[in-house]
């Protein structure tokens, strides 16, 4: 029989929607089996009790947009002060030199950084498959398993090179048949449809300016056939809007519609430059948006219209993006930035810590098409992030949940994934982080020096 764990009397608890009063949670077989009212005891004895009186508990945070490999090109001189298109064009040739080992290290560092920030489920959007990198997603699956996290790994693609009017150099793009064949292989090999799945696969042509309309259409068809999710970058900058008008004669959402992507299967990174009519259409179809505030501020791309999108029926979640445009992989840091950036647009009363933490949890689960994570409730997966308020930055704070964002919590004290403690006392279990960072720094330097 599986052991029962009582996480007893937390200082505060956020269930994915609001702050709740609770005498704690009981975990068994990787799931939350009881959520106790104040004063209530577990229905059966628990073998282990964890005293959580010093801890604020959140559902494990969910990151819905990232490029793990970019941890190798953080804060790189030539692109520090560039907006999106020149930033991309300068970085493409560097990224094209990616090796399997560098991708493994980049992915493990991104995952470790996310995990330490309280993230238990992440997505990644990998679209670089130069010669020798055919097994990029397989490498990422191994990295996710190594860290003991959950992930939706999206098989990205680029098929529209410079010669055909696209942005990426020719040697970074792939033929449509290769992309689709590999997409099918990955879904069949790794996509787990069960409750509590650790790995999901999604299909993710990179952006309108780097793929052909044909690959967008074929990917949508395959996603429908295999019942997997679709992901891409859309409406990130006005440059992109101008590009779509010039090459396709369409605005971004019309383009999305023309390739069969306007559906609840789709989640979009950024989603900034939409007009009212486009927001109405996206909401009506139940499209999800991964809001990436730090990347959007760093590249001066714009501010996502979250409130209009929500009112129209769209789902909002948070993505760290990057790490060449963030340059952190920290979900608490991202949530804090989302709170403040969105307040600039909508004011203090509308944008609350609970709303933003909801995007980072429940909104993330919905974006990735899951109903087994993102909430603290009976029957949900035991994915939890526990924070203490002992650091100097919290001293003198009063509301424990608000303190996490307002005082700037960056590192969880404990993180649980599927009932297993993956972070204890602020350290990842079974991972030699100094050794990993040592190798990662060398790989990053080598990539630039090549
Ligand atoms: Zn991105």
């Amino acid at each position: 029989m599986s052991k029962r764990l009582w996480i007893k009397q937390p200082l505060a608890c956020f269930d994915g929607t609001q702050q709740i009063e609770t005498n704690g949670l009981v975990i068994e077989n990787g799931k939350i089996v009881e959520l106790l009212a104040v004063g209530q005891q577990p229905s059966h004895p628990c073998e282990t009790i964890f005293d959580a009186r010093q801890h604020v508990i959140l559902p494990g945070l969910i990151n819905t947009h990232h490029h793990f490999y970019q941890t190798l090109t953080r804060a790189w001189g030539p692109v520090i002060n560039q907006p999106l298109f020149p930033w991309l064009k300068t970085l493409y040739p560097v990224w094209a030199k990616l090796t399997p080992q560098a991708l493994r290290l980049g992915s493990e560092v991104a995952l470790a950084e996310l995990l330490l920030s309280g993230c238990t489920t992440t997505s990644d959007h990998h679209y670089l498959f130069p010669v020798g990198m055919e097994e990029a997603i397989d490498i990422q699956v191994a990295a996710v398993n190594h860290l003991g996290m959950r992930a939706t790994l999206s098989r990205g693609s680029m098929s529209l090179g410079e010669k055909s009017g696209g942005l990426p150099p020719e040697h970074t793009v792939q033929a449509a048949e290769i992309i689709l064949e590999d997409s099918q292989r990955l879904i069949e090999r790794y996509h787990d449809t069960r409750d509590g799945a650790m790995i999901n696969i999604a299909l993710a042509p990179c952006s309108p300016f780097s793929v052909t309309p044909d690959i967008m259409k074929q990917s949508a068809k395959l996603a429908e056939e295999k019942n997997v999710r679709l992901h891409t970058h859309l409406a990130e900058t006005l440059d992109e809007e101008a590009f779509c008008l010039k090459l396709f004669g369409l605005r971004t959402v019309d383009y999305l519609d023309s390739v069969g992507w306007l559906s609840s299967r789709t989640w979009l990174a950024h989603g900034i430059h939409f007009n009212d009519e486009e927001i109405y259409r996206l909401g009506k179809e139940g499209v999800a948006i991964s809001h990436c505030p730090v990347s959007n501020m760093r590249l001066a791309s714009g501010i996502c219209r979250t409130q209009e999108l929500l009112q129209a029926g769209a789902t909002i979640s948070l993505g760290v993006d990057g790490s060449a445009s963030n340059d952190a992989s920290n979900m608490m840091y991202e949530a804090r930035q989302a709170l403040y950036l969105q307040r600039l647009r909508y004011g203090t009363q509308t944008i609350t810590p609970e709303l933003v933490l909801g995007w980072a949890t429940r909104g993330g689960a919905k974006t990735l098409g899951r109903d087994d994570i993102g909430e603290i409730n009976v029957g949900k997966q035991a994915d939890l992030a526990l924070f203490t308020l002992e650091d100097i930055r919290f001293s003198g704070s009063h509301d424990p949940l608000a303190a996490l964002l307002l005082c700037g919590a960056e590192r969880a004290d404990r993180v649980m994934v599927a009932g297993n403690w993956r972070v204890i006392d602020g350290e990842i279990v079974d991972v030699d982080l100094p050794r990993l960072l040592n190798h990662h720094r060398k790989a990053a330097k080598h990539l630039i020096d090549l």
Side-chain angles (χ1 to χ4, degrees):
M1 211 181 103
S2 162
K3 287 194 172 151
R4 287 163 61 88
L5 163 68
W6 179 12
I7 300 179
K8 190 178 175 183
Q9 293 175 344
L11 174 64
C13 182
F14 176 74
D15 69 359
T17 306
Q18 60 190 344
Q19 196 165 174
I20 54 167
E21 298 227 15
T22 171
N23 209 31
L25 339 170
V26 179
I27 313 291
E28 190 175 14
N29 288 324
K31 285 188 175 187
I32 300 167
V33 293
E34 287 185 71
L35 181 56
L36 305 170
V38 176
Q40 192 188 346
Q41 302 291 307
S43 59
H44 305 289
C46 293
E47 288 82 354
T48 318
I49 294 176
F50 177 79
D51 179 351
R53 279 175 299 176
Q54 305 296 324
H55 290 84
V56 182
I57 305 183
L58 307 179
L61 305 174
I62 298 172
N63 173 38
T64 58
H65 188 63
H66 206 346
H67 311 285
F68 294 160
Y69 74 89
Q70 291 184 10
T71 56
L72 295 158
T73 53
R74 299 197 229 219
W76 182 46
V79 295
I80 288 171
N81 302 317
Q82 300 283 6
L84 182 68
F85 275 19
W87 174 91
L88 274 170
K89 288 197 79 110
T90 313
L91 278 161
Y92 281 142
V94 176
W95 294 339
K97 295 180 290 185
L98 198 65
T99 61
Q101 200 210 0
L103 176 64
R104 179 180 63 78
L105 293 166
S107 300
E108 286 184 4
V109 165
L111 288 159
E113 195 181 351
L114 284 164
L115 184 60
L116 287 168
S117 77
C119 175
T120 51
T121 300
T122 182
S123 65
D124 192 66
H125 186 178
H126 188 86
Y127 49 79
L128 281 171
F129 297 84
V131 175
M133 289 293 298
E134 291 77 9
E135 297 195 343
I137 305 295
D138 306 74
I139 291 166
Q140 292 195 315
V141 170
V144 171
N145 291 338
H146 180 57
L147 271 292
M149 296 170 70
R150 299 182 205 276
T152 296
L153 296 170
S154 47
R155 203 296 180 188
S157 52
M158 296 203 290
S159 61
L160 187 70
E162 275 172 326
K163 270 195 228 151
S164 320
L167 206 67
E170 288 303 318
H171 64 289
T172 61
V173 305
Q174 285 185 302
E177 314 79 70
I178 294 176
I179 293 168
L180 292 166
E181 219 172 84
D182 194 42
S183 300
Q184 183 148 353
R185 174 185 76 84
L186 291 165
I187 294 167
E188 283 163 10
R189 174 121 193 239
Y190 297 115
H191 184 65
D192 187 348
T193 54
R194 291 170 298 182
D195 193 65
M198 301 306 281
I199 301 286
N200 278 181
I201 298 290
L203 302 184
C206 189
S207 60
F209 50 83
S210 59
V211 298
T212 56
D214 183 57
I215 205 74
M216 292 291 286
K217 285 181 196 159
Q218 300 271 18
S219 298
K221 203 169 142 239
L222 183 58
E224 178 96 37
E225 251 173 60
K226 299 285 184 185
N227 196 20
V228 298
R229 294 187 70 72
L230 286 167
H231 181 46
T232 192
H233 296 94
L234 201 82
E236 181 174 358
T237 64
L238 291 171
D239 279 357
E240 179 193 331
E241 190 176 294
F243 180 96
C244 282
L245 282 168
K246 190 168 158 227
L247 200 69
F248 310 121
L250 297 168
R251 285 177 55 80
T252 53
V253 174
D254 289 329
Y255 173 73
L256 203 69
D257 198 4
S258 75
V259 290
W261 275 56
L262 210 48
S263 92
S264 58
R265 191 181 293 288
T266 298
W267 93 95
L268 306 170
H270 308 296
I272 296 168
H273 301 282
F274 297 134
N275 63 30
D276 292 346
E277 184 258 348
E278 290 165 341
I279 286 177
Y280 170 78
R281 287 161 70 197
L282 291 162
K284 187 163 161 270
E285 299 301 335
V287 172
I289 309 288
S290 176
H291 175 36
C292 307
V294 174
S295 173
N296 298 160
M297 287 189 275
R298 170 169 164 178
L299 300 173
S301 304
I303 307 178
C304 176
R305 296 175 65 189
T306 58
Q307 297 310 292
E308 290 88 340
L309 282 158
L310 279 175
Q311 277 153 21
T315 298
I316 301 288
S317 57
L318 292 184
V320 299
D321 199 9
S323 294
S325 66
N326 181 321
D327 301 357
S329 301
N330 188 307
M331 276 298 286
M332 289 305 286
Y333 181 67
E334 202 66 30
R336 185 173 200 246
Q337 298 294 315
L339 177 78
Y340 292 147
L341 180 65
Q342 290 292 316
R343 279 189 169 187
L344 282 179
R345 187 184 271 277
Y346 299 105
T348 53
Q349 307 272 315
T350 307
I351 309 298
T352 62
E354 288 84 354
L355 178 73
V356 172
L357 287 171
W359 294 345
T361 53
R362 216 163 30 95
K366 201 167 171 210
T367 294
L368 299 181
R370 301 188 67 144
D371 58 10
D372 56 342
I373 55 173
E375 287 175 58
I376 291 180
N377 226 325
V378 172
K380 302 290 176 186
Q381 290 293 311
D383 291 5
L384 306 170
L386 282 68
F387 295 84
T388 61
L389 304 178
E390 280 154 29
D391 195 65
I392 188 168
R393 65 182 67 214
F394 302 108
S395 186
S397 65
H398 299 276
D399 181 311
L401 186 70
L404 290 184
L405 292 192
L406 301 184
C407 304
E410 285 186 303
R411 192 154 177 163
D413 180 58
R414 289 217 169 209
V415 181
M416 175 179 276
V417 185
N420 300 311
W421 289 119
R422 294 302 304 134
V423 173
I424 295 178
D425 297 335
E427 304 292 337
I428 303 175
V429 177
D430 300 335
V431 171
D432 185 347
L433 194 61
R435 187 166 178 272
L436 172 60
L437 296 183
N438 186 28
H439 288 302
H440 181 256
R441 284 188 199 107
K442 283 184 190 149
K445 187 168 184 315
H446 188 62
L447 192 67
I448 297 295
D449 290 346
L450 269 179

